[in-house]
Structures are given as C-alpha cells and as structure tokens.
Amino acid sequence: MLAEILGMEQRLARAIVWVSGLPPGLSAAWFIDDGGIDQSGLETCLPETELTTMSLSENAQDRRHFAMRRSFQRCFTKIASGWAGKARDLPMRFVRDQRPVCDAALSLCLSFSSSGPLAIACAVSGGVGGIDVERVRTVGNALD
C-alpha cells in the first residue's frame, strides 16, 4: 500500500507544472485534471477526514473536483515546503473562505484556486501572496 501511495504522489507531482523565473521565496504551479490520474489515485493523497468530507457530496463531478483540488494542494505544499512524509500526512488546515495553513511550514503563505479542470497555487515564504483563476462562462442574470 505504501508503494501505491508514493507512486500516485509521484505521478501527481510529475503532472504539476511549476512556473519558472519567479523571485526567490515565491513558488507557483498549475495542474490540469485531464483524467490521467483516476479518482482512487487522487484519493491516495488525502487523509481520512478529507475523504469523509468528499463523500458527503452526492455529485460524482463534485467529488472528483474535490479530490483533484485537495490532492494538488497537498502535493504542491509537500514540494514547496520540503515535507519528507506522505502528502496525506501533511498537517494542513482548511477553513472555508480562509487561506489554508500547513502546520509543518508556518512561514509559507499558501494560496490556491481552481475552476473546472484547472488548479493553480502559489506559496510565498515570509510574505503574503494570492492567486485566483476563474473559467470564462456565461452568467445568467449577473446583475441580480
């Protein structure tokens, strides 16, 4: 089982595209969920608490997006922080409408965003940063 978990983490880590040429202390990356990693593979990066949260959704597409987003966040943070353990064991806290916090790298300011199959992230060491992405789409009654 450990080899399977580490193998999936490595596949996901290879799929993450890192932005080059950034100033020291700033890391950024993106990931597109093209279906190359199956749902169970993404889930190997998640702790039981997040698997439980994911399972509460009745919509399969929402469960997939949750698994993609959280596994990307954990693998990105693992690499950016130099965490040597498994991504699922990385001590992270997620609170709605707040930045996630990694207790193993408190000096990192993390920011994540996702829309559709795209997820992006940035980490700033000793500072504050943010990132956002939104899919272009038609919004009915936008003025309401």
Side-chain angles (χ1 to χ4, degrees):
M1 181 66 168
L2 179 60
E4 178 185 343
I5 291 170
L6 294 177
M8 281 300 160
E9 281 186 22
Q10 290 171 350
R11 283 188 64 199
L12 184 57
R14 284 193 302 272
I16 294 172
V17 179
W18 292 85
V19 177
S20 61
L22 298 175
L26 175 62
S27 301
W30 54 272
F31 170 75
I32 294 181
D33 184 11
D34 61 4
I37 300 175
D38 63 21
Q39 179 85 15
S40 61
L42 294 173
E43 290 173 9
T44 62
C45 297
L46 305 181
E48 287 299 320
T49 55
E50 290 177 28
L51 292 171
T52 299
T53 300
M54 180 189 70
S55 72
L56 297 176
S57 175
E58 295 179 13
N59 182 297
Q61 187 175 2
D62 290 344
R63 288 191 304 272
R64 172 70 187 200
H65 187 76
F66 182 93
M68 177 274 290
R69 186 178 70 243
R70 286 290 175 88
S71 61
F72 168 68
Q73 291 170 341
R74 288 183 163 281
C75 285
F76 172 86
T77 304
K78 175 183 173 171
I79 295 166
S81 68
W83 174 260
K86 295 179 289 206
R88 69 192 294 165
D89 296 332
L90 191 62
M92 293 188 73
R93 292 180 276 135
F94 298 93
V95 177
R96 186 175 180 86
D97 297 327
Q98 294 182 19
R99 294 176 184 273
V101 175
C102 177
D103 290 330
L106 291 173
S107 66
L108 283 182
C109 175
L110 300 168
S111 181
F112 300 100
S113 184
S114 63
S115 184
L118 176 65
I120 61 175
C122 76
V124 179
S125 179
V128 178
I131 198 160
D132 192 25
V133 64
E134 286 295 330
R135 177 179 55 192
V136 175
R137 57 192 160 95
T138 302
V139 178
N141 298 323
L143 295 177
D144 290 341

